[in-house]
Amino acid sequence: MTGLLPLDMPLLEFESLHEGVLIKRYKRFLADIELSNGEVVTAHCANTGPMTGVLIPGQRVRLRHAPSPKRKLAWTWEQAEVPGADGQPCWAGINTALPNRLIRATIEAGCLSEQLGAISNIRAEVPYGTNRRSRIDLLLTPAESNPDQRLIYLEVKNTTWTDGTTALFPDTVTERGQKHLVELMGVIPEARAVLVPCLSRPDVMDFAPGDAADPRYGSLFRDALDAGVEVLPCCFRYQSNEISWQGLRPLKKFQNL
């Protein structure tokens, strides 16, 4: 299940990130990092969760430098080097603002054409759900050639927590994530509902809900599968100047709660 794009082909390319060493993360949004030239900078941390397994003071990290009068901080923490499942270090993408863009690029490259069919239009942050108070990450309109003409509501979840070679989400209680599962179930059968765990590290081989962190989410995840929500765990490799496609990963067989 690799899609049409060859493995390791880049989906996003960007100016090379700067490297440093993490000193500490604090106040959820801030991280102090020592650059390779010895300078200590404060970077924005877009990941507000506990970052289980990927928050390691003294680890190598990569940052984006984008000074602007509109930004309080010129630096953004993008990637972290973590112990891989095979014992070798690998890089994980920790910026939770990036996966929506990455999954959109994945769809546009045709990597999920077998699973989703041909797509003619992609819209982001479209209101939906109870009283239209939620926003779906991506709303896909099928092309005329797609045999299933239902709209596709697609929710993206950045995933970096692991147990061995299994990727897990969430790594903390997420009432917002629970709500998203309920609202995805609510669009069926008039529309398709797709959950995309964005596996932001290349060492994982399958995906499962993070029952130990949020049993309620795990229970709703199973309900969603039974209701017809499709789950497409997409795996990526993070490098200093690009992110490349590693293919789909299967769901791990897990027990019902």
Side-chain angles (χ1 to χ4, degrees):
M1 296 191 300
T2 60
L4 298 181
L5 193 71
L7 296 186
D8 274 327
M9 288 293 292
L11 285 167
L12 292 181
E13 297 179 278
F14 38 81
E15 187 175 340
S16 288
L17 302 174
H18 299 258
E19 191 167 303
V21 174
L22 176 67
I23 299 174
K24 63 179 179 179
R25 176 216 187 189
Y26 55 102
K27 295 182 180 179
R28 295 174 63 195
F29 296 102
L30 302 175
D32 286 346
I33 294 165
E34 182 179 350
L35 301 179
S36 56
N37 63 4
E39 179 186 0
V40 175
V41 299
T42 299
H44 175 63
C45 177
N47 191 326
T48 60
M51 298 174 65
T52 305
V54 296
L55 181 61
I56 309 168
Q59 74 192 138
R60 295 165 65 200
V61 296
R62 290 172 177 160
L63 304 88
R64 176 169 51 87
H65 188 230
S68 167
K70 298 180 180 180
R71 290 168 52 96
K72 291 184 178 180
L73 297 172
W75 297 89
T76 301
W77 183 10
E78 295 285 347
Q79 301 175 16
E81 189 179 53
V82 299
D86 59 358
Q88 299 299 313
C90 67
W91 288 91
I94 62 91
N95 186 344
T96 53
L98 181 64
N100 285 11
R101 178 182 164 209
L102 178 56
I103 296 303
R104 180 171 187 147
T106 302
I107 296 168
E108 291 174 341
C111 298
L112 301 179
S113 59
E114 181 179 339
Q115 292 75 26
L116 301 177
I119 301 300
S120 65
N121 186 48
I122 303 175
R123 289 185 288 161
E125 299 293 327
V126 178
Y128 85 118
T130 304
N131 298 322
R132 297 177 64 82
R133 296 184 64 180
S134 293
R135 291 180 180 272
I136 194 68
D137 287 330
L138 299 173
L139 181 62
L140 314 181
T141 302
E144 291 184 4
S145 60
N146 195 322
D148 191 335
Q149 286 292 297
R150 293 179 296 168
L151 291 174
I152 302 173
Y153 287 78
L154 191 148
E155 185 72 28
V156 180
K157 298 297 181 188
N158 194 54
T159 306
T160 55
W161 184 32
T162 62
D163 179 10
T165 59
T166 299
L168 301 168
F169 179 91
D171 65 352
T172 189
V173 173
T174 170
E175 294 182 359
R176 186 167 178 264
Q178 296 169 13
K179 179 184 176 184
H180 288 158
L181 287 176
V182 171
E183 293 186 334
L184 280 175
M185 287 186 273
V187 306
I188 299 171
E190 289 80 10
R192 292 173 65 185
V194 178
L195 177 68
V196 176
C198 181
L199 311 185
S200 295
R201 49 189 296 169
D203 61 329
V204 292
M205 300 307 296
D206 53 21
F207 172 82
D211 296 322
D214 189 345
R216 174 61 176 160
Y217 185 93
S219 178
L220 286 169
F221 182 90
R222 291 158 174 80
D223 291 343
L225 288 178
D226 291 341
V229 174
E230 304 164 53
V231 181
L232 301 177
C234 295
C235 187
F236 303 93
R237 182 185 303 278
Y238 284 69
Q239 295 173 276
S240 63
N241 64 342
E242 66 184 30
I243 303 172
S244 59
W245 173 240
Q246 298 297 294
L248 287 170
R249 297 291 186 258
L251 286 180
K252 184 176 183 177
K253 293 182 179 180
F254 44 78
Q255 296 178 341
N256 290 326
L257 294 178

